Short mmCIF file of all heavy atoms in Angstrom, two decimals:
data_model
loop_
_atom_site.label_atom_id
_atom_site.label_comp_id
_atom_site.label_asym_id
_atom_site.label_seq_id
_atom_site.Cartn_x
_atom_site.Cartn_y
_atom_site.Cartn_z
N ASN A 423 -4.39 37.31 -5.57
CA ASN A 423 -5.77 36.85 -5.80
C ASN A 423 -6.76 37.51 -4.85
O ASN A 423 -7.93 37.68 -5.17
CB ASN A 423 -5.88 35.32 -5.58
CG ASN A 423 -5.19 34.53 -6.66
OD1 ASN A 423 -4.70 35.11 -7.62
ND2 ASN A 423 -5.15 33.22 -6.51
N LEU A 424 -6.28 37.83 -3.65
CA LEU A 424 -7.19 38.33 -2.62
C LEU A 424 -6.99 39.82 -2.33
O LEU A 424 -7.44 40.33 -1.31
CB LEU A 424 -7.01 37.51 -1.32
CG LEU A 424 -7.31 36.02 -1.43
CD1 LEU A 424 -7.18 35.35 -0.07
CD2 LEU A 424 -8.72 35.79 -1.98
N LYS A 425 -6.34 40.50 -3.23
CA LYS A 425 -6.05 41.92 -3.01
C LYS A 425 -7.34 42.74 -2.92
O LYS A 425 -8.23 42.63 -3.77
CB LYS A 425 -5.18 42.44 -4.16
CG LYS A 425 -4.45 43.71 -3.82
CD LYS A 425 -3.42 44.02 -4.90
CE LYS A 425 -3.06 45.50 -4.94
NZ LYS A 425 -3.09 46.20 -3.67
N SER A 426 -7.45 43.53 -1.86
CA SER A 426 -8.62 44.38 -1.67
C SER A 426 -8.19 45.84 -1.65
O SER A 426 -7.10 46.16 -1.19
CB SER A 426 -9.30 44.02 -0.35
OG SER A 426 -10.16 45.06 0.08
N GLU A 427 -9.06 46.73 -2.14
CA GLU A 427 -8.75 48.16 -2.14
C GLU A 427 -9.00 48.77 -0.76
O GLU A 427 -8.40 49.78 -0.40
CB GLU A 427 -9.62 48.90 -3.17
CG GLU A 427 -9.43 48.44 -4.62
CD GLU A 427 -8.02 48.66 -5.15
OE1 GLU A 427 -7.36 49.62 -4.71
OE2 GLU A 427 -7.57 47.82 -5.97
N ILE A 428 -9.91 48.15 0.01
CA ILE A 428 -10.31 48.82 1.25
C ILE A 428 -10.04 48.01 2.52
O ILE A 428 -10.30 48.48 3.61
CB ILE A 428 -11.82 49.18 1.21
CG1 ILE A 428 -12.68 47.93 1.01
CG2 ILE A 428 -12.12 50.18 0.09
CD1 ILE A 428 -14.12 48.16 1.37
N ALA A 429 -9.53 46.77 2.37
CA ALA A 429 -9.25 45.97 3.57
C ALA A 429 -7.94 45.22 3.37
O ALA A 429 -7.36 45.25 2.28
CB ALA A 429 -10.39 45.00 3.83
N ASP A 430 -7.49 44.53 4.42
CA ASP A 430 -6.23 43.79 4.29
C ASP A 430 -6.32 42.71 3.21
O ASP A 430 -5.36 42.42 2.52
CB ASP A 430 -5.85 43.14 5.63
CG ASP A 430 -5.44 44.18 6.66
OD1 ASP A 430 -4.87 45.22 6.24
OD2 ASP A 430 -5.69 43.99 7.86
N MET A 431 -7.49 42.13 3.09
CA MET A 431 -7.68 41.11 2.03
C MET A 431 -9.16 40.87 1.79
O MET A 431 -9.99 41.18 2.65
CB MET A 431 -6.98 39.80 2.42
CG MET A 431 -7.62 39.08 3.58
SD MET A 431 -6.51 37.91 4.35
CE MET A 431 -5.71 38.94 5.58
N LYS A 432 -9.48 40.34 0.62
CA LYS A 432 -10.83 39.87 0.34
C LYS A 432 -10.91 38.41 0.78
O LYS A 432 -9.88 37.77 1.02
CB LYS A 432 -11.13 39.94 -1.17
CG LYS A 432 -11.17 41.36 -1.72
CD LYS A 432 -11.74 41.37 -3.14
CE LYS A 432 -10.83 40.63 -4.12
NZ LYS A 432 -11.26 40.75 -5.52
N ASN A 433 -12.12 37.87 0.89
CA ASN A 433 -12.20 36.46 1.30
C ASN A 433 -12.19 35.49 0.12
O ASN A 433 -12.04 34.29 0.31
CB ASN A 433 -13.40 36.21 2.21
CG ASN A 433 -14.73 36.23 1.49
OD1 ASN A 433 -14.90 36.96 0.50
ND2 ASN A 433 -15.68 35.45 1.96
N THR A 434 -12.34 35.99 -1.11
CA THR A 434 -12.20 35.08 -2.26
C THR A 434 -11.47 35.76 -3.41
O THR A 434 -11.47 37.00 -3.52
CB THR A 434 -13.56 34.61 -2.84
OG1 THR A 434 -14.30 35.75 -3.25
CG2 THR A 434 -14.36 33.82 -1.84
N GLY A 435 -10.86 34.91 -4.23
CA GLY A 435 -10.23 35.41 -5.45
C GLY A 435 -11.07 34.94 -6.61
O GLY A 435 -12.27 34.78 -6.49
N GLY A 436 -10.48 34.70 -7.72
CA GLY A 436 -11.24 34.21 -8.87
C GLY A 436 -11.43 32.71 -8.77
O GLY A 436 -11.36 32.13 -7.69
N ARG A 437 -11.68 32.09 -9.91
CA ARG A 437 -11.92 30.65 -9.93
C ARG A 437 -10.63 29.84 -9.80
O ARG A 437 -10.66 28.68 -9.45
CB ARG A 437 -12.62 30.26 -11.24
CG ARG A 437 -14.09 30.60 -11.27
CD ARG A 437 -14.65 30.45 -12.69
NE ARG A 437 -14.29 29.16 -13.29
CZ ARG A 437 -14.99 28.03 -13.11
NH1 ARG A 437 -16.07 28.05 -12.36
NH2 ARG A 437 -14.62 26.92 -13.68
N ASN A 438 -9.51 30.48 -10.12
CA ASN A 438 -8.25 29.74 -10.16
C ASN A 438 -7.69 29.40 -8.78
O ASN A 438 -7.79 30.19 -7.86
CB ASN A 438 -7.20 30.54 -10.92
CG ASN A 438 -7.59 30.72 -12.38
OD1 ASN A 438 -8.47 30.02 -12.87
ND2 ASN A 438 -6.97 31.67 -13.05
N ALA A 439 -7.05 28.25 -8.69
CA ALA A 439 -6.32 27.85 -7.48
C ALA A 439 -7.12 28.08 -6.20
O ALA A 439 -6.61 28.60 -5.21
CB ALA A 439 -4.97 28.58 -7.40
N GLY A 440 -8.39 27.68 -6.23
CA GLY A 440 -9.29 27.95 -5.11
C GLY A 440 -8.84 27.36 -3.78
O GLY A 440 -8.99 28.00 -2.73
N THR A 441 -8.30 26.15 -3.82
CA THR A 441 -7.92 25.47 -2.57
C THR A 441 -6.70 26.13 -1.94
O THR A 441 -6.68 26.41 -0.74
CB THR A 441 -7.65 23.98 -2.85
OG1 THR A 441 -8.83 23.43 -3.43
CG2 THR A 441 -7.31 23.23 -1.58
N SER A 442 -5.71 26.41 -2.76
CA SER A 442 -4.50 27.06 -2.27
C SER A 442 -4.78 28.49 -1.81
O SER A 442 -4.22 28.96 -0.82
CB SER A 442 -3.43 27.08 -3.36
OG SER A 442 -2.88 25.80 -3.53
N THR A 443 -5.64 29.18 -2.55
CA THR A 443 -5.96 30.56 -2.19
C THR A 443 -6.64 30.60 -0.82
O THR A 443 -6.32 31.45 0.02
CB THR A 443 -6.86 31.21 -3.25
OG1 THR A 443 -6.22 31.08 -4.52
CG2 THR A 443 -7.09 32.68 -2.97
N ALA A 444 -7.56 29.67 -0.60
CA ALA A 444 -8.24 29.60 0.71
C ALA A 444 -7.22 29.35 1.81
O ALA A 444 -7.28 29.94 2.89
CB ALA A 444 -9.30 28.49 0.69
N ALA A 445 -6.26 28.46 1.52
CA ALA A 445 -5.23 28.14 2.52
C ALA A 445 -4.33 29.34 2.77
O ALA A 445 -3.94 29.60 3.91
CB ALA A 445 -4.41 26.94 2.05
N TRP A 446 -4.03 30.08 1.69
CA TRP A 446 -3.22 31.29 1.89
C TRP A 446 -3.97 32.28 2.79
O TRP A 446 -3.39 32.87 3.71
CB TRP A 446 -2.87 31.96 0.55
CG TRP A 446 -1.96 33.13 0.79
CD1 TRP A 446 -0.60 33.09 0.92
CD2 TRP A 446 -2.35 34.49 1.03
NE1 TRP A 446 -0.12 34.33 1.22
CE2 TRP A 446 -1.17 35.22 1.30
CE3 TRP A 446 -3.58 35.15 1.04
CZ2 TRP A 446 -1.18 36.58 1.56
CZ3 TRP A 446 -3.59 36.51 1.31
CH2 TRP A 446 -2.39 37.22 1.57
N PHE A 447 -5.27 32.41 2.55
CA PHE A 447 -6.10 33.27 3.40
C PHE A 447 -5.95 32.85 4.87
O PHE A 447 -5.66 33.67 5.74
CB PHE A 447 -7.57 33.16 2.95
CG PHE A 447 -8.54 33.94 3.80
CD1 PHE A 447 -8.88 35.24 3.44
CD2 PHE A 447 -9.11 33.39 4.93
CE1 PHE A 447 -9.78 35.98 4.22
CE2 PHE A 447 -10.00 34.12 5.72
CZ PHE A 447 -10.33 35.41 5.36
N LEU A 448 -6.11 31.55 5.14
CA LEU A 448 -6.02 31.05 6.52
C LEU A 448 -4.66 31.34 7.14
O LEU A 448 -4.56 31.66 8.33
CB LEU A 448 -6.27 29.54 6.57
CG LEU A 448 -7.67 29.03 6.21
CD1 LEU A 448 -7.72 27.51 6.34
CD2 LEU A 448 -8.74 29.67 7.09
N SER A 449 -3.61 31.22 6.32
CA SER A 449 -2.25 31.37 6.85
C SER A 449 -2.02 32.74 7.48
O SER A 449 -1.11 32.93 8.28
CB SER A 449 -1.21 31.11 5.75
OG SER A 449 -1.20 32.18 4.84
N ASN A 450 -2.87 33.71 7.14
CA ASN A 450 -2.77 35.05 7.70
C ASN A 450 -3.29 35.15 9.13
O ASN A 450 -3.17 36.20 9.75
CB ASN A 450 -3.59 36.03 6.85
CG ASN A 450 -2.90 36.31 5.54
OD1 ASN A 450 -1.94 37.08 5.48
ND2 ASN A 450 -3.34 35.62 4.49
N PHE A 451 -3.91 34.08 9.60
CA PHE A 451 -4.56 34.16 10.90
C PHE A 451 -3.96 33.24 11.95
O PHE A 451 -4.55 33.00 12.99
CB PHE A 451 -6.07 33.93 10.74
CG PHE A 451 -6.70 34.98 9.88
CD1 PHE A 451 -6.82 34.80 8.49
CD2 PHE A 451 -7.12 36.18 10.42
CE1 PHE A 451 -7.36 35.79 7.69
CE2 PHE A 451 -7.67 37.18 9.63
CZ PHE A 451 -7.79 36.99 8.26
N THR A 452 -2.79 32.69 11.65
CA THR A 452 -2.11 31.89 12.66
C THR A 452 -0.68 32.38 12.83
O THR A 452 -0.03 32.75 11.85
CB THR A 452 -2.13 30.38 12.32
OG1 THR A 452 -1.45 29.67 13.36
CG2 THR A 452 -1.46 30.08 10.98
N LYS A 453 -0.22 32.37 14.09
CA LYS A 453 1.18 32.69 14.34
C LYS A 453 1.98 31.41 14.52
O LYS A 453 3.19 31.45 14.70
CB LYS A 453 1.29 33.56 15.61
CG LYS A 453 0.73 34.96 15.46
CD LYS A 453 1.26 35.87 16.58
CE LYS A 453 0.77 37.30 16.46
NZ LYS A 453 -0.64 37.47 16.94
N SER A 454 1.29 30.28 14.50
CA SER A 454 1.97 29.00 14.72
C SER A 454 3.01 28.74 13.63
O SER A 454 2.78 29.03 12.46
CB SER A 454 0.94 27.86 14.74
OG SER A 454 1.61 26.63 14.82
N LYS A 455 4.13 28.17 14.05
CA LYS A 455 5.18 27.81 13.09
C LYS A 455 4.95 26.38 12.57
O LYS A 455 5.67 25.89 11.70
CB LYS A 455 6.57 27.89 13.75
CG LYS A 455 6.96 29.30 14.17
CD LYS A 455 7.60 30.05 13.00
CE LYS A 455 7.95 31.48 13.37
NZ LYS A 455 6.76 32.37 13.47
N SER A 456 3.97 25.72 13.16
CA SER A 456 3.60 24.38 12.70
C SER A 456 2.09 24.32 12.56
O SER A 456 1.38 23.80 13.42
CB SER A 456 4.05 23.31 13.69
OG SER A 456 5.44 23.29 13.80
#
Side-chain angles (χ1 to χ4, degrees):
N423 289 355
L424 299 184
K425 199 170 157 32
S426 162
E427 299 298 329
I428 59 163
D430 290 328
M431 69 200 89
K432 294 191 295 187
N433 73 328
T434 59
R437 283 168 50 85
N438 296 344
T441 302
S442 286
T443 305
W446 184 85
F447 177 93
L448 294 181
S449 72
N450 287 282
F451 297 92
T452 180
K453 290 197 178 79
S454 175
K455 295 274 178 286
S456 297

